Amino acid sequence: MSKIKLLSSNLINQIAAGEVIERPFSVIKELVENSIDAESSQIDILIEDGGHKSIQVFDNGMGMSKEDLQLAFQRHATSKIATQNDLAQINTLGFRGEALPSIASVSQLSAKSITKDSDDGFELTIHGGEVKSFEPIAGLQGTQISVKNLFYNIPARRKFLKKPDTEQRKIVKLIRQLMLSNPQIGFSLSANNKEIYKVTQSNLENRIKDIFGKNFYNSILSTELNKTPYSISGFIGNLSTTKKRQGDQYLFLNGRFIKDRLLSSAVFSAYKSLISRGEFPFFVLFLKVPFGSVDINVHPAKLEVRFQNEWHIYHVIKTAVSNALEDILNVIPEYDPSLIYYNKPKEADIGSQLLFSNNPSNPLAQNIAPRKEGNAPSELQFEAIHSKGMTDDFLIDRANERIVESDESIIPEKLESEIIWQLHNKYLITEIKSGLVIIDQHVAHERVLYESARAAIDGNGMASQTVLFPQTLKLQPDEYSNLLNIIPYLEKIGFKLREFGETSIVIEGIPVDVNWGTEKEVISEILEKYIHNNELDASFIDYIAATFACKAAVKAGDPLNPEERKHLIDKLFATNHPYYCPHGRPIIINLSLDDLDKRFERH
Ligand code: ADP
Ligand code: MG
């Protein structure tokens, strides 16, 4: 008797499920993608216990006929590709025909479907791969899939599922990606009967606003570039949307969310001097490439892709984003590169061509390369890189090393003049080699205070000055208990607070160098934000620093003596980001001699 046996189709499906269906997240991905492929205009997703207990996906798409509904649960049954040719031009999200049979083999599944032009359809019930029933139903056009007790028949797998909370977070992220890539579809997501998202059919701009809220209304810039055969479109965030953590970077390749380190770095590098390493700009970008030039078949979960010519695409993305950022980049003074380099980079020195030019310790160094030509490698250089056979990772690492290496070769441009004028007690004006700069004194001081507050919170804290007349702040009991959580942070920026009675605190000290009577207001504002967010995350800490800075900074209208002006400018140029205030407003405007000459028609 032979030892080798053919596996039963159910066992094959269960094994395949191990690959495609790892967890509730993957079930939802497959089901929602099917609904998108079915041209639905509304998709509703309901989960219980992070999808462990139940997952339901309802759509109003094209539905399946009686025969198709049965076929859909056969392995490798798909309506999306038929020939090898089709494989080279996949424009649907699914194509393997594996998802439904795999899910049905490891859960208790029911699928109801009704096609257009008919009032009735069928419901198919399958438990652990075994058909339990197949019955006619009545209802509206569309498909409703319900998946209960995933892996109920494979205890070993069920045991290794992540906690429902963790799973739910991952699902929410996924739905956010799908909502962004399909603004023309209305979505809702609810978890344990609580609504998490509900968005109506829209366009991309409004979809972004619907998802990310009020802050994004005036903070996104449209981005568009066609460079046949590639095109890029979407939105990028201005500086008020950058975050200290990764997460809101969305890149879609031919409609599919992908993760690609090199292409993301193309976006980051376009922001160059505006952000530092460790900061992440917001973007939602759609990259379209010819079907033939990309292989999406490399990973069953289809997050990673393989490009034929990734460096060309890098260049297109970077150009598109740089163009969109042009207005923001334009207000940054251009420094004469000859002043900045001790040694000009040797020609064909690929590493320094790739400088991602972000050096937090040396703000003026952030403009090391002349911007007009851009400091991305030209297409020819890309070819050169490729013919040398270097890997992308190697190049990125090397570029990053150069950032560190290049530190010593950079000196900042000096102010040309010791004289700093103050205009209407509002703007400071002084000379630099290429012309003159105008500085907004309030936002400049805000930037300085913001960065010192950030550093103080992360480090040893700021000094405090005792006030002559301590003030009492009376709070509601719930506010009070919230305040206790954030007192350590307030103390870090220089407040001295003492508990007083049941629900009051006394403000005994305020940050030094600060002379203002709005301390109660600052504390209340920070407290409100905390109650609203209820999280002590990086963005909250930014908020503390920014609120403090905004309230404590000199105002427009405050006269400054010459020492104070000079001190402020020196301090400003010692910050990481002298060009933008924490809210994204420009601090410095550059007026070049060229501009002046043009205006006076002096050619
Ligand atoms: P794939 O999506 O790779 O084709 P699936 O196993 O996910 O494979 O689905 C099998 C087939 O079932 C699909 O090709 C499609 O024809 C049909 N189908 C699945 N879900 C839906 C849906 N929500 N609406 C209409 N048809 C669907
Ligand atoms: Mg599918």
Side-chain angles (χ1 to χ4, degrees), residues 3 8 30-31 119 126 160 188 191 230 239 308 320 329 363 399 478:
K3 279 193 254 169
S8 75
E30 295 294 337
L31 294 181
D119 301 331
I126 304 179
F160 284 103
S188 76
Y230 308 116
L239 298 179
Q308 233 167 36
L329 286 165
D478 51 331

Side-chain angles (χ1 to χ4, degrees), residues 133-281:
S133 65
F134 189 61
E135 283 163 1
I137 49 150
L140 295 174
Q141 180 192 331
T143 301
Q144 305 196 340
I145 309 249
S146 143
V147 176
K148 299 233 148 81
N149 303 320
L150 186 65
F151 298 132
Y152 80 104
N153 54 346
I154 311 185
R157 294 287 297 279
R158 190 155 175 97
K159 217 165 57 200
F160 284 103
L161 287 178
K162 297 261 178 346
K163 283 208 232 67
D165 273 3
T166 315
E167 197 64 24
Q168 184 174 320
R169 267 199 297 278
K170 212 169 143 78
I171 292 167
V172 170
K173 250 197 210 158
L174 167 74
I175 300 302
R176 197 157 59 226
Q177 289 159 8
L178 292 166
M179 292 194 304
L180 284 169
S181 54
N182 298 280
Q184 78 290 356
I185 300 177
F187 283 91
S188 76
L189 168 67
S190 66
N192 298 332
N193 286 321
K194 239 178 77 192
E195 185 178 282
I196 296 183
Y197 282 124
K198 190 182 178 81
V199 291
T200 52
Q201 289 182 274
S202 183
N203 57 24
L204 180 61
E205 184 174 7
N206 288 324
R207 178 58 53 92
I208 292 174
K209 292 172 179 175
D210 285 345
I211 297 177
F212 297 97
K214 263 212 323 271
N215 288 351
F216 279 69
Y217 277 37
N218 298 314
S219 315
I220 50 174
L221 309 163
S222 157
T223 307
E224 188 122 32
L225 186 71
N226 288 316
K227 272 249 156 93
T228 321
Y230 308 116
S231 86
I232 183 102
S233 68
F235 288 87
I236 59 170
N238 74 11
L239 298 179
S240 60
T241 63
T242 56
K243 287 208 179 125
K244 282 269 151 51
R245 62 191 155 80
Q246 223 157 349
D248 287 329
Q249 289 74 41
Y250 302 89
L251 180 62
F252 299 96
L253 169 72
N254 295 346
R256 240 176 246 281
F257 179 78
I258 57 158
K259 279 198 166 152
D260 189 286
R261 226 179 114 195
L262 185 74
L263 298 187
S264 301
S265 77
V267 183
F268 298 153
S269 71
Y271 277 82
K272 50 183 179 189
S273 53
L274 299 174
I275 55 170
S276 51
R277 273 207 279 174
E279 284 187 326
F280 300 92

Side-chain angles (χ1 to χ4, degrees), residues 30 34 80 94 99:
E30 295 294 337
N34 279 346
K80 298 171 192 174

Side-chain angles (χ1 to χ4, degrees), residues 317-455:
I317 294 182
K318 183 167 173 180
T319 311
V321 176
S322 303
N323 290 350
L325 284 172
E326 193 148 69
D327 283 347
I328 296 187
L329 286 165
N330 265 343
V331 301
I332 295 177
E334 281 192 43
Y335 292 91
D336 181 349
S338 65
L339 264 178
I340 289 165
Y341 281 109
Y342 278 137
N343 310 304
K344 288 219 167 196
K346 306 262 169 1
E347 31 72 72
D349 193 339
I350 293 153
S352 54
Q353 294 287 352
L354 266 178
L355 269 176
F356 287 68
S357 68
N358 283 317
N359 169 22
S361 66
N362 194 344
L364 295 175
Q366 292 172 358
N367 289 297
I368 38 181
R371 182 164 48 78
K372 289 261 159 58
E373 296 89 271
N375 57 0
S378 70
E379 300 204 0
L380 273 178
Q381 284 162 336
F382 283 129
E383 304 291 7
I385 292 163
H386 264 305
S387 58
K388 282 191 184 164
M390 299 186 197
T391 68
D392 304 344
D393 280 354
F394 170 79
L395 283 169
I396 291 177
D397 289 346
R398 189 161 130 184
N400 284 339
E401 271 166 32
R402 294 294 168 109
I403 295 170
V404 180
E405 279 173 20
S406 63
D407 279 0
E408 291 158 27
S409 61
I410 296 158
I411 48 164
E413 183 185 10
K414 297 242 165 37
L415 294 179
E416 284 291 292
S417 159
E418 283 288 297
I419 303 172
I420 302 164
W421 292 274
Q422 193 186 24
L423 190 70
H424 293 275
N425 290 340
K426 207 171 176 184
Y427 298 111
L428 306 180
I429 298 180
T430 192
E431 225 179 327
I432 58 169
K433 187 170 169 54
S434 59
L436 62 89
V437 288
I438 309 172
I439 294 171
D440 180 323
Q441 66 185 37
H442 169 69
V443 282
H445 197 202
E446 206 177 338
R447 167 53 73 188
V448 170
L449 291 174
Y450 168 78
E451 289 200 8
S452 54
R454 280 288 341 207

